[in-house]
Amino acid sequence: MAASTLTEVARLAGVSPATASRVLNGSARKPGKDIAERVRQAADSLGYIPNAQAQGLAKSSSGLIGLIVHDIADPYFAAIARGVQDEAREQRRMVLLATTGGAPAEEREAVAAFAARRADSIVIAGSRSSRTEDRDDNAELAAELDRYCRNGGQVAVVGHPVVGATVTEGYHVVAVPNQELAGALAAELASRWDGDFVIIGGPDGLFTSDDRIRGFQEGLATAGRPPAEVLRTAFNRSGGYDAGLELAARIKAGRSGDGEASARKLCIFAVNDVMAIGASAALRAEGLRIPRDATIAGFDDIETLRDFRPALSTVRLPLEEIGRLATRATGRTAGGSEDLDDGEPGPVSGEVTLRRSTEAVA
Amino acid sequence: MAASTLTEVARLAGVSPATASRVLNGSARKPGKDIAERVRQAADSLGYIPNAQAQGLAKSSSGLIGLIVHDIADPYFAAIARGVQDEAREQRRMVLLATTGGAPAEEREAVAAFAARRADSIVIAGSRSSRTEDRDDNAELAAELDRYCRNGGQVAVVGHPVVGATVTEGYHVVAVPNQELAGALAAELASRWDGDFVIIGGPDGLFTSDDRIRGFQEGLATAGRPPAEVLRTAFNRSGGYDAGLELAARIKAGRSGDGEASARKLCIFAVNDVMAIGASAALRAEGLRIPRDATIAGFDDIETLRDFRPALSTVRLPLEEIGRLATRATGRTAGGSEDLDDGEPGPVSGEVTLRRSTEAVA
DNA sequence: GCTTGTTGGGAAAGCGCATTCCCACTACGT
DNA sequence: ACGTAGTGGGAATGCGCTTTCCCAACAAGC
């Protein structure tokens, strides 16, 4: 018993498929009351479920929204995904998920797959990369996106535009003030702290990471501090852990070298919370304590990590809101309210949040 | 410029659409070498992307797999989602995401939406509920699933079967030995601990929670211990926090009441890690320390929470593997290897993992 | 040399639905 | 009373693709 079709419903109700279509799926023309009722009953008794594929084919629009993330299990992306999902739900659309690990080549594939499924819009949440080895892939990704937009697709990118994208029609960017906020964080920290700073960053060329590093350095400069050393590592917990080990070694060496003097206590800035947690774990594993032996700050304010102790200083980013905004930016709310329908999404704002992990103990 | 179609490609290559279809999308019949090459070039130059909707319509199979979770931002579901996504990727299918907050009514809606989109299979990751107020909704959910299966859909449920489902064809359950593992955890704890136990559970009727509670009680009984009191609360971090506050009050009261005697130190079992973390946070907020003033264990071994201190005793569940198994169970690997294709997924195994949070300090 | 397979390609019929025409019919207007 | 606008329904077309069926060409069998 295959799923029942519109035609079957129509036959059962004794009307034409056209009429059945008009009553069951929103059409401009509203058939008469009695007929509508008959059709609806027929549909009910058959357990009719419209075939979205066929509908999509017929009116070339699928009600699908594609979401691209690096890794759905990463709480950063999970939070954004929640926002996207929420908004999609309100717009009565469904989200199609693709995880790429951040590789532009796989992102291109994902875009193509979304295009094949005729997704109405695509939200790209993963950080862009400008590494030279990704140049070709990035170009292809940009080309794929261009084509998608030219064919009427809507694209929203979180953070940074895709490098090389040329189309503006239907192309939205949810700007995240990574640089400014990192600067603000640096300013706050510099005002409470006169020791050295060191940055644990992601691989060179990752925009999110680079922006935060740049902003932090600027903030330090403004505060009259020398630039911080930058450790490059993987943009995840394990990268943070590795860098943490390295720093722990230095701290211990410094300690024994300079005698007991805790004069040059280190303040560590990890470019995201997950890395900060990794680094903290490494320090702890090496017998160091935070904030006693070193202080540390992250970025993002991941919800799941808020119960972590010592509480992590960070920059709160409205992740869910970001996902929601991105989705809304791509939303052709057909016939909906026209208030701020198509304007670019207002830039999101974050907030420096100092907690125990950067408390300079006497 | 709308996306180019198969027909356009065929025309450019000077062949019939049928032939073009045969060469571009896997067909049993392989056209001649030269023709194939011509078609491929035409497709390339036009940037042809097959319309998956149309393909789906024509061969009634969409390459879509629907995933239902309570909340994608919850690390438990995020981990499962990663497994599902991974496996889907290997099978060259895409995942459609729906979050329901656990309400059977919304789950029913999600199933209907997946059915409308003609998803080949559905994975339900959220815990089932048997609460009386959900009875009707559960019945409708079961009916919807039955219909979906009868129409050829594949369903995999994580943990517990949907109550009331009658169809067996295409219906799979990934069994999670919640009860046994909770029992094993209780046994381990009881062997190291002679104080009282208390359980922080989810709302009555939530299978996952109830199974773990039951298992834990059984484990206690086997160890010759009296049953633990059960606190019912929300199945998330905030529920854990609330219960934690309650327990903190008791602990403090007990302390002042019985004098300084720490004789009856409490061992808390929260039915999942996130709740355990919430409870820990509450205890800490009330000035209590773990494991000094109370010990606590969770369940799931959420990756993101492993760096939490004191390290949380828990039961490791291979979440990603569970997602993968569920997906594989629904996978009609058309023409693939026939090894363990259709058999029910082997029951997953977990592992009691004792860490610092339950160390009985002298 | 003719039949019988066999191969490689095209024509055409859907898949399930939305939508554009078109037609019959009613309710007006003058 | 006749023409016109307006209404409510159906027939038919097409969305882009797969697949069955058919046909031509060519190989091999007697």
Side-chain angles (χ1 to χ4, degrees):
Chain A
M1 162 192 173
S4 49
T5 73
L6 225 210
T7 313
E8 289 171 22
V9 173
R11 186 163 32 216
L12 180 59
V15 301
S16 78
T19 304
S21 168
R22 289 197 263 258
V23 22
L24 291 179
N25 311 70
S27 162
R29 286 181 55 175
K30 300 288 174 200
K33 270 259 174 189
D34 46 346
I35 290 211
E37 189 49 33
R38 224 167 56 217
V39 171
R40 242 180 290 273
Q41 283 199 0
D44 240 47
S45 79
L46 284 175
Y48 170 71
I49 297 183
N51 184 328
Q53 306 220 66
Q55 289 188 148
L57 225 208
K59 47 183 178 187
S60 52
S61 117
S62 58
L64 250 28
I65 159 169
L67 171 62
I68 298 182
V69 298
H70 288 188
D71 173 9
I72 191 59
D74 181 322
Y76 171 82
F77 292 111
I80 292 182
R82 171 148 67 179
V84 170
Q85 171 74 49
D86 271 14
E87 181 67 26
R89 185 189 190 62
E90 270 174 35
Q91 297 182 13
R92 322 211 98 264
R93 307 204 282 160
M94 298 216 73
V95 6
L96 219 39
L97 186 64
T99 72
T100 63
E106 299 196 27
E107 295 183 334
R108 195 198 68 80
E109 260 184 62
V111 170
F114 289 154
R117 296 238 134 74
R118 296 302 185 264
D120 299 332
S121 43
I122 295 180
V123 172
I124 304 185
S127 169
R128 312 296 68 243
S129 147
S130 66
R131 282 181 294 181
T132 48
E133 65 259 44
D134 286 335
R135 256 190 53 186
D136 294 351
D137 290 335
N138 264 323
E140 285 188 43
L141 170 59
E144 197 75 53
L145 281 173
D146 279 8
R147 174 161 34 158
Y148 176 75
C149 284
R150 273 200 305 275
N151 289 346
Q154 297 279 317
V155 173
V157 185
V158 172
H160 253 278
V162 170
V163 297
T166 63
V167 175
T168 57
E169 192 70 32
Y171 187 82
H172 315 266
V173 175
V174 177
V176 177
N178 282 311
Q179 197 168 332
E180 294 84 331
L181 289 170
L185 174 63
E188 289 283 354
L189 292 175
S191 76
R192 290 170 165 66
W193 175 259
D194 57 4
D196 286 342
F197 288 90
V198 58
I199 301 177
I200 302 182
D204 200 8
L206 205 63
F207 276 127
T208 306
S209 169
D210 287 352
D211 284 352
R212 292 176 182 178
I213 293 173
R214 193 176 318 118
F216 197 83
Q217 299 283 33
E218 281 176 13
L220 288 182
T222 306
R225 297 302 192 82
E229 180 192 357
V230 179
L231 261 46
R232 298 287 184 173
T233 179
F235 198 60
N236 52 31
R237 188 260 176 201
S238 121
Y241 192 88
D242 294 343
L245 287 182
E246 157 81 16
L247 290 176
R250 289 200 207 173
I251 292 170
K252 287 180 174 175
R255 225 192 223 157
S256 56
D258 301 3
E260 274 298 301
S262 70
R264 302 311 260 174
K265 203 164 80 173
L266 229 44
C267 178
I268 303 166
F269 168 52
V271 293
N272 70 41
D273 278 2
V274 174
M275 292 173 81
I277 294 300
S280 305
L283 291 184
R284 200 165 37 216
E286 292 298 311
L288 299 176
R289 295 255 300 270
I290 293 170
R292 196 194 60 188
D293 302 313
T295 61
I296 187 164
F299 206 108
D300 288 339
D301 198 20
I302 298 294
E303 194 177 330
T304 321
L305 300 178
R306 289 195 195 139
D307 284 319
F308 198 81
R309 286 306 110 125
L312 188 63
S313 290
T314 188
V315 175
R316 168 166 307 184
L317 237 37
L319 262 15
E320 216 176 307
E321 178 73 5
I322 288 174
R324 201 188 305 276
L325 283 175
T327 308
R328 202 171 298 156
T330 68
R332 290 248 163 274
T333 42
S337 58
E338 292 290 339
D339 36 18
L340 42 123
D341 192 292
D342 213 40
E344 284 306 297
V348 304
S349 60
E351 192 184 350
V352 173
T353 308
L354 261 28
R355 303 206 181 97
R356 182 108 203 296
S357 73
T358 52
E359 260 174 34
V361 277
Chain B
M1 162 194 172
S4 49
T5 74
L6 225 210
T7 314
E8 289 171 22
V9 172
R11 187 164 32 214
L12 180 59
V15 301
S16 78
T19 304
S21 167
R22 290 198 261 256
V23 25
L24 291 179
N25 313 69
S27 163
R29 286 180 56 174
K30 301 288 175 199
K33 270 258 175 188
D34 45 346
I35 291 213
E37 190 50 33
R38 231 173 43 224
V39 171
R40 243 182 289 273
Q41 282 200 0
D44 239 48
S45 79
L46 284 174
Y48 169 71
I49 296 183
N51 184 327
Q53 307 220 66
Q55 288 188 148
L57 225 208
K59 47 182 178 189
S60 54
S61 120
S62 58
L64 253 26
I65 158 170
L67 171 62
I68 297 182
V69 297
H70 288 189
D71 173 9
I72 191 61
D74 180 321
Y76 171 83
F77 291 111
I80 292 183
R82 170 148 69 180
V84 171
Q85 170 75 48
D86 270 14
E87 181 66 25
R89 183 187 190 64
E90 270 174 34
Q91 298 182 10
R92 323 211 96 265
R93 309 204 279 160
M94 297 216 73
V95 4
L96 219 39
L97 186 65
T99 72
T100 63
E106 298 197 27
E107 294 183 333
R108 196 198 67 83
E109 261 184 60
V111 171
F114 289 153
R117 296 236 133 73
R118 295 303 185 265
D120 298 331
S121 44
I122 295 180
V123 172
I124 304 185
S127 170
R128 314 291 74 239
S129 148
S130 66
R131 282 181 293 181
T132 49
E133 66 259 46
D134 286 336
R135 256 189 55 186
D136 294 352
D137 290 334
N138 264 323
E140 286 189 42
L141 170 59
E144 195 75 54
L145 280 173
D146 278 7
R147 175 161 33 160
Y148 176 75
C149 284
R150 271 199 305 274
N151 289 345
Q154 297 279 317
V155 173
V157 185
V158 172
H160 252 278
V162 170
V163 297
T166 63
V167 175
T168 56
E169 190 72 32
Y171 187 83
H172 315 267
V173 175
V174 177
V176 178
N178 282 311
Q179 196 167 331
E180 293 83 332
L181 289 170
L185 175 62
E188 288 283 352
L189 292 175
S191 76
R192 291 169 164 66
W193 176 259
D194 55 5
D196 285 343
F197 287 90
V198 58
I199 300 177
I200 302 182
D204 200 7
L206 206 62
F207 275 126
T208 306
S209 169
D210 287 351
D211 284 353
R212 293 177 182 177
I213 292 173
R214 192 176 319 118
F216 197 84
Q217 300 282 36
E218 281 176 13
L220 289 182
T222 305
R225 298 303 192 83
E229 179 191 358
V230 179
L231 262 47
R232 297 288 184 174
T233 177
F235 198 61
N236 53 30
R237 188 260 176 200
S238 121
Y241 193 88
D242 294 344
L245 287 182
E246 157 81 15
L247 290 177
R250 290 200 206 171
I251 292 170
K252 287 179 175 177
R255 227 192 222 158
S256 56
D258 302 1
E260 275 297 299
S262 69
R264 299 314 255 176
K265 202 164 79 172
L266 229 43
C267 178
I268 304 166
F269 168 52
V271 292
N272 70 40
D273 279 2
V274 174
M275 293 174 81
I277 294 300
S280 304
L283 292 184
R284 199 165 39 217
E286 293 298 311
L288 299 176
R289 296 255 300 269
I290 294 168
R292 196 194 58 190
D293 302 312
T295 61
I296 187 164
F299 207 109
D300 287 341
D301 198 23
I302 298 292
E303 195 179 329
T304 322
L305 300 177
R306 289 195 195 140
D307 284 319
F308 198 82
R309 287 305 113 120
L312 189 63
S313 290
T314 187
V315 175
R316 168 166 308 182
L317 238 36
L319 263 13
E320 216 175 307
E321 178 73 5
I322 288 174
R324 200 188 306 275
L325 283 176
T327 308
R328 201 171 298 157
T330 69
R332 290 249 163 274
T333 42
S337 58
E338 291 291 338
D339 37 16
L340 42 126
D341 192 292
D342 214 41
E344 285 305 297
V348 304
S349 61
E351 192 184 348
V352 173
T353 308
L354 261 29
R355 303 206 181 98
R356 183 111 203 295
S357 72
T358 51
E359 261 174 33
V361 276

